[in-house]
């Protein structure tokens, strides 16, 4: 199967451990196992766990723990995967056939276009507009989501804008998918990483064809255990499991055990609170830095997630700009072209204060030159 390069992921894998300042990240600085022990993870008994295979769609205990966050869902609605990205992939693999249409918002996390095209589907995008707080361009949306559309993929809160859809927009999107018989694949891995606004609402419950994907990587701050999941009608969860059997069989046993502790309601809230605290501390630093540019660099402040999307003036392509920042400042950032929007750069807000300040200083000196 031919598949195009996932440009952003490849750029990150190539450079993130080589540069001095990796400002291309998108989660907050991660939790340690020690912090999870403080939340009740039993390290001592963990040492005696036989390292065999785990249940391939996630242990019942973990699936029940995840289902508890999605009203009406049971363990049969859940499939546990190796990260949210694998959950997205499993939905595409189980549902898409050559000739299908896929719609997605842009800018976005650009996994779905590559996967969908490799499966023979055609991808149509509709724009999110900065002027309206990153709401969809509704005309483009209506054109993109038709009865031929098998999957609509969106991320809410959105990567890279950090914007959250309004209730009205969510209803409109869900109604349209009901009318057209489209799977609404809502990637909610940033849900819980709100900075100063109420918790983002899930699309779960807004229709019969809603599939939610999420995981521990962003709002929880635990990307290294590689646990994600999908929540959907049991037939879809089961079809996805069938694909999974062929690929990685299932998630790893140690990660399943760690995830069982993380998803407990009180621990989930502790993880989210930690994320919020980091972001609340860092956002004013980034705001002050942005303001120092006057009108030559603008943004709509992110509402959720450790990412910010900046619009810069001038016509230097974003990839050239990011390359300049990397080679001259040993600092990695994400060009807008890798998230579906030219003329923008994505930067990271989730690090320690001194790291953030120095990363911004380095990016700033290239933006100014
Ligand atoms: C919207 C979105 N979905 C999925 C992923 C990948 O998540 P995971 O690490 O859980 O596979 C990312 C990573 O940046 C993301 O931004």
């Amino acid at each position: 199967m031919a598949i195009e390069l996932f440009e952003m992921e490849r750029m990150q894998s190539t450079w993130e451990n080589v540069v001095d300042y990796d400002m291309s990240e998108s989660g907050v600085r991660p939790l340690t196992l020690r912090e999870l022990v403080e939340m009740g993870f039993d390290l001592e008994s963990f040492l005696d766990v036989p390292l065999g295979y785990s249940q391939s769609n996630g242990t019942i205990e973990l699936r029940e723990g995840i289902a508890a966050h999605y009203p009406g869902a049971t363990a049969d609605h859940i499939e546990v995967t190796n990260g949210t990205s694998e959950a997205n992939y499993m939905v595409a693999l189980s549902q898409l056939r050559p000739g299908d249409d896929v719609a997605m918002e842009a800018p976005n996390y650009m996994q779905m276009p590559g996967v969908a095209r490799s499966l023979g589907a055609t991808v149509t995008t509709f724009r999110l507009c900065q002027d309206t707080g990153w709401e969809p361009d509704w005309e483009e949306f209506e054109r993109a989501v038709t009865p031929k559309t098998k999957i609509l993929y969106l991320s809410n809160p959105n990567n890279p804008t950090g914007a959250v859809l309004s209730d009205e927009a969510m209803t409109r999107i869900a109604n349209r998918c009901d009318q057209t018989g489209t799977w609404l694949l809502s990637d909610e891995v940033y849900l819980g990483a709100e900075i100063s606004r109420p918790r983002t609402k899930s699309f779960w419950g807004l229709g019969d064809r809603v599939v939610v994907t999420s995981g521990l990587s962003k709002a929880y701050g635990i990307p290294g255990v590689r646990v994600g999941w999908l929540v959907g009608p049991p037939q879809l969860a089961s079809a996805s499991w069938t694909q999974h059997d062929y690929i990685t069989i299932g998630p790893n046993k140690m990660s399943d055990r760690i995830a069982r502790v993380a998803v407990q309601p009180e621990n989930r809230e502790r993880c989210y609170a930690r994320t919020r605290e980091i972001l609340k501390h860092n956002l004013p630093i980034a705001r002050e830095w942005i303001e120092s540019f006057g009108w030559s660099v603008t943004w709509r402040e992110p509402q959720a997630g450790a990412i910010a999307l900046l619009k810069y003036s001038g016509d230097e392509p974003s990839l050239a700009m990011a390359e300049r920042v990397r080679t001259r400042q040993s600092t990695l950032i994400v060009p807008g072209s890798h998230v579906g929007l030219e003329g923008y750069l994505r930067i990271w807000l989730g690090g320690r204060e001194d790291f953030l300040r120095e990363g911004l200083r380095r990016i700033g000196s290239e933006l100014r030159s």
Side-chain angles (χ1 to χ4, degrees):
M1 178 181 74
I3 192 160
E4 62 206 61
L5 200 68
F6 191 164
E7 288 177 313
M8 183 187 75
E9 291 293 345
R10 181 55 60 88
M11 180 206 70
Q12 288 181 300
S13 318
T14 309
W15 297 112
E16 65 194 351
N17 298 311
V18 177
V19 293
D20 293 340
Y21 284 81
D22 177 16
M23 292 286 285
S24 74
E25 267 295 337
S26 54
V28 287
R29 58 176 188 270
L31 258 84
T32 60
L33 197 53
R34 191 180 299 285
E35 285 172 283
L36 284 164
V37 168
E38 282 157 16
M39 293 185 199
F41 181 73
D42 185 351
L43 189 58
E44 196 49 42
S45 70
F46 190 52
L47 298 176
D48 294 320
V49 174
L51 296 176
Y53 283 105
S54 188
Q55 178 151 346
S56 65
N57 58 340
T59 54
I60 294 177
E61 191 186 337
L62 176 56
R63 282 184 290 129
E64 283 179 347
I66 295 167
H69 299 303
Y70 299 92
T74 67
D76 290 342
H77 292 76
I78 311 289
E79 198 206 348
V80 179
T81 54
N82 292 286
T84 315
S85 43
E86 194 179 56
N88 291 334
Y89 207 131
M90 291 302 111
V91 175
L93 264 183
S94 65
Q95 301 307 315
L96 291 180
R97 302 290 172 267
D100 282 344
D101 283 355
V102 169
M104 60 174 274
E105 54 180 26
N108 209 336
Y109 180 62
M110 299 303 271
Q111 175 191 18
M112 190 50 69
V115 173
R117 283 194 281 263
S118 77
L119 296 169
T122 303
V123 179
T124 310
T125 56
F126 58 92
R127 255 176 309 173
L128 302 178
C129 307
Q130 182 170 355
D131 297 346
T132 57
W134 298 112
E135 291 267 307
D137 176 317
W138 292 111
E139 266 178 37
E140 288 189 6
F141 169 79
E142 308 276 333
R143 272 202 299 275
V145 184
T146 72
K148 265 199 78 199
T149 311
K150 203 57 165 296
I151 293 178
L152 160 62
Y153 171 75
L154 49 84
S155 52
N156 190 47
N158 174 261
N159 173 3
T161 62
V164 176
L165 289 168
S166 65
D167 291 357
E168 296 73 38
M170 287 177 71
T171 308
R172 189 164 174 175
I173 292 169
N175 287 347
R176 178 74 175 176
C177 288
D178 263 349
Q179 284 162 7
T180 55
T182 299
W183 285 114
L184 197 179
L185 173 52
S186 176
D187 181 333
E188 299 179 358
V189 70
Y190 294 94
L191 186 152
E194 296 77 20
I195 306 172
S196 298
R197 52 155 285 137
R199 182 79 39 89
T200 303
K201 289 190 183 143
S202 174
F203 269 97
W204 181 248
L206 285 191
D208 296 336
R209 295 184 74 78
V210 170
V211 190
V212 169
T213 54
S214 190
L216 298 184
S217 301
K218 309 296 177 187
Y220 282 85
I222 318 177
V225 300
R226 309 302 302 130
V227 166
W229 53 82
L230 66 86
V231 196
Q235 280 140 304
L236 181 134
S238 168
S240 159
W241 186 11
T242 302
Q243 298 287 343
H244 210 177
D245 285 339
Y246 282 99
I247 300 175
T248 48
I249 303 180
N252 101 35
K253 189 163 182 169
M254 293 181 283
S255 296
D256 190 294
R257 207 171 159 104
I258 293 171
R260 277 184 249 162
V261 174
V263 302
Q264 286 166 13
E266 65 283 9
N267 288 340
R268 181 175 87 140
E269 291 310 317
R270 284 167 81 168
C271 292
Y272 287 178
R274 173 185 178 278
T275 296
R276 188 166 51 248
E277 198 181 311
I278 294 172
L279 296 178
K280 272 193 146 171
H281 181 84
N282 285 354
L283 189 67
I285 298 170
R287 186 187 296 135
E288 196 186 328
W289 176 78
I290 296 264
E291 283 167 2
S292 73
F293 291 96
W295 289 105
S296 62
V297 179
T298 58
W299 70 350
R300 265 198 110 97
E301 265 189 36
Q303 296 177 281
I307 39 186
L309 194 64
L310 317 180
K311 185 171 179 22
Y312 58 87
S313 55
D315 35 1
E316 185 174 355
S318 57
L319 184 57
M321 187 88 103
E323 279 297 285
R324 189 151 62 80
V325 176
R326 181 179 66 77
T327 51
R328 298 198 351 191
Q329 302 292 336
S330 191
T331 299
L332 193 64
I333 56 174
V334 175
S337 61
H338 285 185
V339 288
L341 191 61
E342 192 43 89
Y344 287 76
L345 299 169
R346 194 191 80 184
I347 61 164
W348 184 47
L349 306 179
R352 293 191 185 283
E353 179 175 340
D354 52 346
F355 188 97
L356 175 68
R357 285 190 187 278
E358 178 59 15
L360 293 178
R361 191 195 65 72
R362 289 173 182 228
I363 298 165
S365 48
E366 291 309 315
L367 281 173
R368 285 195 169 86
S369 66

